[in-house]
C-alpha cells in the first residue's frame, strides 16, 4: 500500500496528513505534532471523512503523548481526558470521533497501574490499533462487497468521499470498487 496515496501516515511519534484543502492542485502533507494541530486539521477540513477524522484525532494525541513523561497514572489520565474532550470539539457531529474517544478513554481508565508511562503507552498502542483496524475493516468491506456483487462485469458510480482520503487507507464503498477492480469485475 505504500505506493498508493495515503491521507494518513503514522510512524511513531510522527503523524503526517494529506492536506485535503490543497487537492487537486497539489499533494501537500502536514505534520501533526499534538492535539491542537489535530483539532485544527479536523475543524479546518484539512482532513475529511468520518473514519479519517477519528484516526487523526487519536493519533494527534498519540504524537503529543509520545514526547511526554507522566509521574503518575492520574496525571496521565487527566491529561488524556482533557485533550480528548478538546478534540471532541473539532467536529461536534462526527460519530466515529466520539466512538473513538469513548474507546480510548475506556482503555486508559481500565489500565490498572500507578505508572503514568504505562497509561501513556496504553493510549498510544490503542490509537495505533485503531489505525490498523480501520484499514483491515475497509479491506474486509471491499472484499465482502465485491463478493456480493459477484464476478460479472459491472459499472459502478459513487458520489461520496468513501475512498482512501476518507479513511485510514483503503476506503469503504470505494474499497468495494477497488476489490472489484482487483478481481477483474469492472467494465
Amino acid at each position: 500500500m505504500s505506493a498508493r496515496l495515503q491521507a494518513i501516515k503514522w510512524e511513531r511519534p510522527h503523524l503526517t496528513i494529506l492536506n485535503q484543502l490543497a487537492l487537486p492542485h497539489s499533494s501537500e502533507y502536514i505534520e501533526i505534532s499534538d492535539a491542537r494541530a489535530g483539532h485544527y486539521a479536523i475543524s479546518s477540513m484539512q482532513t475529511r471523512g468520518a473514519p479519517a477524522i477519528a484516526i487523526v484525532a487519536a493519533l494527534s494525541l498519540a504524537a503529543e503523548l509520545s514526547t511526554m513523561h507522566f509521574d503518575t497514572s492520574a496525571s496521565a489520565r487527566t491529561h488524556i481526558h482533557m485533550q480528548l474532550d478538546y478534540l471532541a470539539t473539532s467536529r461536534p457531529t462526527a460519530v466515529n470521533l466520539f466512538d473513538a474517544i469513548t474507546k480510548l478513554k475506556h482503555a486508559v481508565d481500565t489500565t490498572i497501574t500507578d505508572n503514568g508511562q504505562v497509561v501513556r503507552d496504553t493510549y498510544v498502542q490503542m490509537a495505533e490499533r485503531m489505525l490498523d483496524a480501520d484499514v483491515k475493516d475497509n479491506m474486509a468491506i471491499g472484499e465482502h462487497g465485491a463478493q456480493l456483487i459477484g464476478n460479472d462485469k459491472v459499472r459502478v458510480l459513487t458520489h461520496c468521499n468513501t475512498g482512501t482520503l476518507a479513511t485510514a487507507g483503503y476506503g469503504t464503498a470505494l474499497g468495494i470498487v477497488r476489490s472489484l477492480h482487483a478481481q477483474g469485475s469492472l467494465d
Side-chain angles (χ1 to χ4, degrees), residues 13 21 52-53 71 80 94 103 134 143 151 169 175:
L21 294 174
I53 289 167
D71 292 327
I80 290 167
K103 289 175 182 174
D134 189 64
E143 291 168 15
N151 292 322

Side-chain angles (χ1 to χ4, degrees), residues 1 7-8 27 30 45 66 70 85 94 132 147 165 176 183:
M1 209 168 95
I8 301 169
S27 295
I30 304 165
M45 298 188 72
S66 293
F70 296 97
D85 290 344
D132 293 339
Q147 287 174 5
L165 297 177
I176 297 170
Q183 72 185 28

Side-chain angles (χ1 to χ4, degrees), residues 76-99:
R77 284 187 186 98
T78 298
H79 183 81
I80 290 167
H81 275 261
M82 182 180 69
Q83 294 299 75
L84 287 173
D85 290 344
Y86 171 65
L87 285 162
T89 67
S90 65
R91 192 75 57 86
T93 59
V95 174
N96 293 50
L97 173 61
F98 288 96
D99 181 55

